[in-house]
């Protein structure tokens, strides 16, 4: 049963490659899973998985397990009574436990509070577009917020508010655990509030962005929050974010095409 299914997957991938100008992409986790199935299919009854693949699978499953246990603690967290009573659910984080890049925002908004996943509203869709333009799928990276609960709003008011420094200080230990487990090669803080949550000090975005910082020896790039780009549609601001992302790609030693170099969000 496995071989016909694999033949179908390969035929479909080849068709996508022929009919698109971009090669099909798959996350590292998906590739590892496909390879393990292929090993079984190539030698029925004898799973031939290379030591490296086995090590990668083991690491992914260990990290997934530890992240899930932190997620359970977050789910039951009652440290901020005012947020516990207003939240629909906690919003832990999403993505590849082996991600090279970790994007960090400030806090869930109304959409995220409803869906339980960070960056799923309009700003999230723009972030997903940025990630794709960088040559990644959303599942390749890891996305989390400093705060795991939506900041409460006064009754009858709409929109979202930024988390306070005290709220961020209370919740930050969970994010630090996530970073310690994932060990990304690069952190990207989205907006001045997220940067403050990470570094503990507020700064002006025009001074913070576009250059490398460090968080516990992990390179940190600070750039504008996608919500800022939705409010300010000026091409020059969008280009600034894209130039920050080009620096991230360079830091990761990823090949950058001419199209990417000239890209405007
Ligand atoms: S914001 Fe963080 S620390 Fe506060 S209740 Fe939610 S999970 Fe707990």
């Amino acid at each position: 049963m496995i071989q016909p299914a694999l033949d179908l997957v390969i035929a479909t991938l080849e068709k996508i490659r022929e009919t698109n100008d971009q090669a099909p992409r798959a996350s590292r986790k998906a590739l590892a899973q496909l390879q393990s199935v292929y090993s079984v299919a190539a030698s029925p009854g004898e799973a031939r998985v290379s030591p490296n693949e086995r090590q990668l699978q083991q690491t992914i499953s260990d990290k997934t397990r530890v992240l899930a246990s932190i997620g359970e603690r977050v789910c039951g967290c009652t440290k901020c009574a005012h947020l516990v009573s207003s939240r629909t659910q906690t919003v832990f984080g999403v993505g590849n436990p082996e991600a090279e890049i970790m994007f960090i925002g400030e806090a869930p908004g109304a959409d995220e509070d409803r869906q339980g996943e960070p960056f799923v509203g309009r700003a999230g869709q723009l972030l997903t577009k940025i990630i794709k333009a960088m040559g990644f799928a959303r599942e390749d990276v890891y996305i989390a917020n400093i705060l795991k609960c939506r900041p409460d709003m006064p009754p009858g008011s709409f929109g979202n508010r930024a988390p306070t420094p005290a709220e961020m200080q209370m919740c930050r230990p969970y994010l630090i655990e996530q970073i310690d487990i994932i060990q990304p090669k690069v952190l990207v803080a989205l907006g001045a509030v997220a940067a403050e949550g990470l570094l503990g000090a507020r700064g002006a975005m025009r001074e913070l962005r576009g250059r490398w910082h460090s968080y516990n020896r992990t390179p940190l790039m600070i750039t504008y929050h996608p919500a800022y780009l939705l409010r300010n549609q000026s091409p020059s601001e969008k280009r600034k974010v894209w130039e920050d992302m080009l620096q991230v790609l360079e830091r990761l030693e990823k090949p950058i095409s001419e199209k990417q170099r000239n890209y405007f969000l």
Side-chain angles (χ1 to χ4, degrees):
M1 281 301 289
I2 294 173
Q3 193 58 52
L6 275 175
D7 290 344
L8 187 63
V9 169
I10 291 164
T12 305
L13 289 173
E14 280 174 349
K15 200 166 173 191
I16 293 171
R17 191 165 51 195
E18 279 165 20
T19 52
N20 285 276
D21 55 3
Q22 282 192 332
R25 293 185 51 80
S27 69
R28 279 190 288 165
K29 187 177 171 189
L31 280 176
Q33 285 171 337
L34 194 57
Q35 288 217 313
S36 71
V37 172
Y38 182 77
S39 300
V40 175
S43 177
E46 184 193 342
R48 284 195 308 188
V49 180
S50 77
N52 282 349
E53 286 162 16
R54 198 174 299 126
Q55 178 64 44
L56 177 62
Q57 287 165 21
Q58 188 59 48
T59 307
I60 290 172
S61 96
D62 288 349
K63 288 186 173 189
T64 305
R65 195 163 26 80
V66 181
L67 285 169
S69 90
I70 303 167
E72 276 173 30
R73 274 194 280 128
V74 166
C75 220
C77 180
T78 55
K79 286 197 274 180
C80 316
H82 61 300
L83 301 184
V84 174
S85 58
S86 64
R87 75 186 178 203
T88 304
Q89 58 192 315
T90 53
V91 180
F92 181 61
V94 69
N96 183 355
E98 274 284 278
E100 291 179 290
I101 311 178
M102 188 163 167
F103 289 92
I104 298 168
E106 54 189 59
D111 293 318
E112 290 74 21
D113 175 67
R114 236 184 338 264
Q115 296 187 41
E117 185 172 324
F119 284 93
V120 289
R122 280 182 67 225
Q125 285 160 20
L126 180 53
L127 176 64
T128 303
K129 186 178 164 195
I130 293 169
I131 290 167
K132 284 186 179 161
M134 293 172 78
F136 295 97
R138 192 173 151 104
E139 311 82 66
D140 292 333
V141 304
Y142 197 90
I143 307 172
N145 284 308
I146 307 271
L147 218 67
K148 310 304 186 199
C149 297
R150 183 188 180 213
D152 56 345
M153 296 293 290
S157 60
F158 297 98
N160 300 311
R161 73 162 170 87
T164 65
E167 288 169 338
M168 289 197 287
Q169 205 180 346
M170 188 69 85
C171 204
R172 185 168 44 205
Y174 294 128
L175 179 73
I176 293 171
E177 285 188 75
Q178 286 173 295
I179 296 171
D180 285 348
I181 290 156
I182 294 163
Q183 295 184 354
K185 290 182 182 163
V186 170
L187 292 166
V188 178
L190 300 163
V193 179
E196 179 185 0
L198 265 182
L199 300 175
R202 192 72 188 251
M205 276 305 288
R206 65 181 175 283
E207 285 156 18
L208 292 173
R209 64 146 292 272
R211 63 189 175 85
W212 287 103
H213 305 256
S214 173
Y215 176 77
N216 276 353
R217 293 191 297 279
T218 303
L220 166 67
M221 176 59 68
I222 299 171
T223 195
Y224 289 114
H225 194 286
Y228 168 78
L229 296 183
L230 292 175
R231 289 193 304 272
N232 185 341
Q233 296 278 341
S234 123
S236 65
E237 296 304 278
K238 292 180 174 181
R239 179 65 196 179
K240 282 177 192 165
V241 171
W242 184 242
E243 281 174 5
D244 297 341
M245 295 306 100
L246 287 175
Q247 285 202 56
V248 169
L249 290 176
E250 279 165 9
R251 188 87 188 208
L252 292 171
E253 299 181 351
K254 298 288 178 196
I256 301 175
S257 67
E258 205 50 39
K259 190 176 166 192
Q260 283 175 312
R261 288 243 175 250
N262 299 324
Y263 186 71
F264 274 77
L265 290 172

